[in-house]
Amino acid sequence: MPKYSRLLLSASFIGAAIAPSFAGDGAGRTLWVRLDPAAVTAKSKVGQQFATTSSIDRKSGTLKLNLKPGISIDDVVAKLAKRREVLEVRAGDGVRFSHRDDLRSVSMLSEWIEKLGGDEERQEKHKKFDPKNEEKEAGTEYLQALKQYIKVRAYPYDRIDSEAYNRGIQQAAQMKAAKIGTSTQTGDVHPLVAGIGGKWKFVGPNNLNTPYRVYYGLRPSSGRVNAIAYDPVNTKTIYIGAPQGGVMKTTDAGVTWTAVGDNWGFNTVSSLAVDPKNPNTVYAGTGDFQGLVGAYTMGVMKSLDGGATWTNVGRSNFGSSSVSGIVVDPDNSAIVTLTTGRGPDGVGRVWRSVNGGTNWTPAINVLASWSSLSYGPADSSGKRSLYAIGSGGNLYRSDNSGAAWTKLTSPVANSTFNLPYIAASAVDSKTAYILSTQDQKIYKSTDSGANWTDTTGSFPGGYNWSQGFYDWYIACYADGGKDHLFTGLIDVVESPDGGSTWQPVGLTYTNGAKTHNDQHSFAVNPKNPKEVLMGNDGGLYMGTGGAGNWTITGLSANLGITQFYNVVWHPTDKTKILGGTQDNASPVSIGNLSKWENVGGGDGGFCAINPTNPNVQYVTIYGFTVIITKDGWATSTDISPDTGSDASPFVTPIFQDPVRTRYLYGCTNYLWRYDLTTNTWASHLGGTQLSNGSLIHVVTVAPSNGDVIYTGSDDGRLFVSTNAGASFRSLNGPTLPNRAITSISVDPANPNDIVVGLSGTGSAHVMECTNTSVATPQFVNKSGVGSSGLPDVPVNVIERDPSKPTKVWYVGNDIGVFSTGDGGQTWGNATVPLGLPNVQVNSLSANARTGLLSAGTYGRGVWQIGFGTSAPLVPSGYSIMTGSFVGGNVQSLAADDGNNLVVSSATVTGLGQVAAEVSTFTVPGTGTLNALSFEVSVASSTQAATEQLYVKNWKTGAYELLKAFPGTTTRTTQTVAVTGTIANYMSSARKIELVTRALVPSSFGTNSFRLSIDRTSSAATTSD
């Protein structure tokens, strides 16, 4: 639990907490504003532009504003509600605004998790994952994931700053495009890889399998579908809306899908409507109303050409509220009505346009979280009823297309969290239905909403109701002269007789599941009531056949809207990818990008692939469940530790050690380490809590020194260990902004040089420290400035270019990918200009061996773009060198296989060097060499011996030392990249020479020894 709670405010806001300062003040022109404790001192001037006088009680964190004449109280409240440091606003006539309804508040989510699931800490602790127990844990799963998501982005505040996101997408649209080429222009990206081209390419998941049938149904799966709409004329044309996938369109009934509108600022969609009289006119309501995330909203997008082009409307009216529902008047296409809610103030309004969305006015000017609206059929006079429903018992009906409204008595309790949903009858002008997940009931009215009766009856409830704040709808269509009802909760349930009887359709939480769980959207074919579409966390499903006889088919094979928390890639094979997702377990491509498998279960989390033995892979499931495979998922084993009283995360971060590859790091508020060789976990490395009751978010091991380990947490704490985790030292100081730390990139040649990625808003997002070994490390802002700087949105990952690691960096943030070619002085937009939609990017990998920059997104799956033509190099010749070499004579003591140099002797006397291998490589193609790397695995029987790598500089004729490996009895693997003027290391005949030398000091005496150095792979990148 946090130290303060917004739920506690409502009972005492005007009571004793502020009475010492403000008791007796009149109500008329006075507002009291409650501030976030973190902002009381710094933000005490909030609202002064509206007030003649103001004062603050710092003890209670309450600000009093006496408003200037002529200023509307409601306007002031609306403006204050957008500021994340404002918790609540109260006038003399009651609460005008409170974050009780704002589920982007960390403290509010904590309250609800505890209310729904009992002790929050118990809910978030590790328990061995079992699909049979998933039902018992449902109800808080999504909220726990959402809390973790928001906490990282809000810190040090309690909620996300929506306005910063809007400014961020506007800036991104004005930025220069990242350049493809080898120049040092802004946003330098390296040359193309054959078959990819100069644009991002979607690579999956395609035809994604499910990990098991219960809760997931059958293949194919993809990601959450918030909205569905048929083309009323050509019913093979279907539109779907996704939470961060935008609008997808099919013209062949779901066989293939095309993204429409990828150049939108936010690709978030809560609702869709197609004009019944003009099927090329499509409306998309933005935001993620179902997912309770309101940071990514921009009003309504309207298309007049079936999604080919779009115009933004209503943005200035709806602000940061999600558009939860849209209806076009069936008789007059100019009249469009919509509902908004779950915005920054937790509420919205009902809006109406009489000119096709060009202008909007409040139709119901009542602040609430309005969840849905529905037209009924025309009566004998041609009149239709339009219903709208929302939080707080708000229920209204209009009989003149939304021009005027009558408030009805709602049968639903005063709900703010579990919102109701309404559907008008399709056959009777006076009948309507309400789904209330708070009451766990379905209500029916046959007198235009004047009275309501409970028609829940035999509805299959229980667990089905458990996430009514997240998955809920009711829909109605005419079938054989009757109302056929569909409801979506955890499962899909139908009533073919207007609510008299009910039966399950999806069988979602049984071993015979036909659909994925967590239902969000529904549509019926306007020409065929025996065909319906259902959208849920797994994607889109078509039902055919009719009541009680539905055949269900998945339509998501090529949908491409998977929400990845984390993605990792095979070190050499671009067709092998592994990731963890929101409610779609852990998709894995095992060499076939057109057909993905699925492992793990539940919500997947962070993943890892061992770089020296890629058959060893790890996935996580919520609550620090860790699954390992040692044979590429032919078999797997649960290796989860018991984290005890640690603050275990819902989405568990794990990280592969790139140097000592037997190690895997796992995160709570302490650092854990798994040893593959012993199958054991070491807990609480260094005995140091590396997050102050919060969570470690990132762990990075220095590639050049496995003893150096960095950690960063979601409460802004940065630590380093220089002794392999035996102890840790804080690197925090005045030059590092206080934001959640999401990424740490270490210079491959210098373990003390790091670049740190920061989440949140209102600060720099990329900071560099060139020497972390000093007592007070200094961090320098590398976020750029102005139009060439990074947008002020959370950064999730930083990746270095392998050929220019000190200058060329790639950043994945909440709106896409950005790159710099000058070490952070200037940045370019590598998102929409290069073919990637504006989507949250959580993972990046720049792989010199494949020549690919790969991105894992939270809403549009996995993408790749080439930054160089790259291929593994195989020696075209090799030999054992004799004679002199770099200051000594060479003596050959062992044969060689051209790949693995093994040197051994019974005795050695007075030798400074004992053997050297020359490997020659021929680089294919005609392009200029711009990257060169070697992966080596080394071991020795004595610490007195040393292995060395040299590469020939053809311009000078000299052999230059790349790396020296001190003798160690533990085999280690490292990737060694050539730096400097790369072209000098390839001859005119396109030859590269690598020398491997074994060195033993003359003082070694007559001791015996054995050394081996295995060049496991090599790669060159050229600008073909």
Side-chain angles (χ1 to χ4, degrees), residues 667-1019:
C667 304
T668 64
N669 49 330
Y670 291 90
L671 187 60
W672 291 65
R673 184 166 62 202
Y674 173 73
D675 190 328
L676 177 63
T677 59
T678 62
N679 192 36
T680 58
W681 287 89
S683 65
H684 297 191
L685 295 188
T688 303
Q689 185 173 225
L690 301 174
S691 176
N692 189 20
S694 197
L695 300 168
I696 300 168
H697 193 86
V698 60
V699 180
T700 303
V701 178
S704 61
N705 185 343
D707 287 343
V708 179
I709 306 169
Y710 293 91
T711 70
S713 71
D714 61 10
D715 60 351
R717 304 184 79 189
L718 179 65
F719 284 88
V720 64
S721 171
T722 57
N723 51 17
S727 62
F728 283 87
R729 175 172 59 90
S730 173
L731 298 177
N732 290 92
T735 59
L736 182 65
N738 184 26
R739 294 295 185 272
I741 297 169
T742 53
S743 185
I744 304 169
S745 177
V746 185
D747 187 304
N750 182 355
N752 298 317
D753 188 334
I754 63 172
V755 178
V756 176
L758 301 177
S759 190
T761 53
S763 76
H765 292 280
V766 176
M767 304 293 295
E768 183 180 30
C769 177
T770 58
N771 189 358
T772 59
S773 66
V774 298
T776 307
Q778 298 298 305
F779 287 86
V780 178
N781 184 2
K782 295 293 183 174
S783 308
V785 295
S787 61
S788 63
L790 278 174
D792 180 20
V793 297
V795 161
N796 304 313
V797 60
I798 298 174
E799 179 77 348
R800 294 174 188 257
D801 188 288
S803 66
K804 298 182 180 179
T806 62
K807 295 295 183 182
V808 180
W809 307 332
Y810 308 103
V811 159
N813 64 19
D814 273 5
I815 59 175
V817 176
F818 298 82
S819 62
T820 177
D822 53 21
Q825 296 181 51
T826 58
W827 293 83
N829 188 347
T831 313
V832 170
L834 301 185
L836 181 71
N838 288 324
V839 63
Q840 179 181 320
V841 175
N842 286 339
S843 303
L844 287 173
S845 172
N847 190 326
R849 293 180 227 175
T850 62
L852 292 172
L853 176 66
S854 302
T857 76
Y858 191 69
R860 287 292 291 274
V862 179
W863 295 67
Q864 293 176 337
I865 190 172
F867 65 86
T869 300
S870 180
L873 296 178
V874 177
S876 53
Y878 59 90
S879 63
I880 295 294
M881 179 185 289
T882 59
S884 64
F885 176 74
V886 191
N889 291 319
V890 178
Q891 179 179 343
S892 176
L893 297 180
D896 180 72
D897 63 2
N899 196 32
N900 187 7
L901 174 65
V902 178
V903 182
S904 62
S905 175
T907 61
V908 174
T909 304
L911 290 178
Q913 59 187 20
V914 294
E917 173 204 78
V918 182
S919 297
T920 304
F921 305 86
T922 301
V923 180
T926 60
T928 302
L929 183 71
N930 58 36
L932 179 61
S933 65
F934 304 93
E935 183 180 86
V936 295
S937 177
V938 297
S940 171
S941 64
T942 172
Q943 294 184 359
T946 301
E947 295 100 333
Q948 297 175 326
L949 285 182
Y950 288 82
V951 66
K952 184 172 183 177
N953 186 321
W954 293 89
K955 184 175 182 179
T956 65
Y959 289 93
E960 297 177 358
L961 178 65
L962 274 181
K963 183 78 174 180
F965 301 92
T968 173
T969 56
T970 302
R971 180 169 291 276
T972 62
T973 300
Q974 295 189 31
T975 298
V976 181
V978 179
T979 59
T981 306
I982 304 298
N984 293 343
Y985 299 96
M986 182 175 70
S987 72
S988 59
R990 306 189 66 77
K991 302 294 184 182
I992 293 171
E993 280 193 8
L994 178 74
V995 176
T996 305
R997 177 166 74 163
L999 186 68
V1000 178
S1002 57
S1003 60
F1004 192 63
T1006 58
N1007 296 303
S1008 62
F1009 73 96
R1010 179 182 176 87
L1011 304 94
S1012 70
I1013 181 163
D1014 182 9
R1015 181 194 45 74
T1016 58
S1017 64
S1018 308

Side-chain angles (χ1 to χ4, degrees), residues 462-497:
Y463 167 62
N464 206 11
W465 295 102
S466 63
Q467 288 196 146
F469 56 87
Y470 170 63
D471 39 52
W472 83 109
Y473 68 75
I474 187 168
C476 181
Y477 62 94
D479 187 4
K482 296 181 180 180
D483 279 340
H484 195 147
L485 301 177
F486 265 73
T487 65
L489 295 166
I490 298 293
D491 194 9
V492 184
V493 180
E494 69 172 340
S495 172
D497 48 20

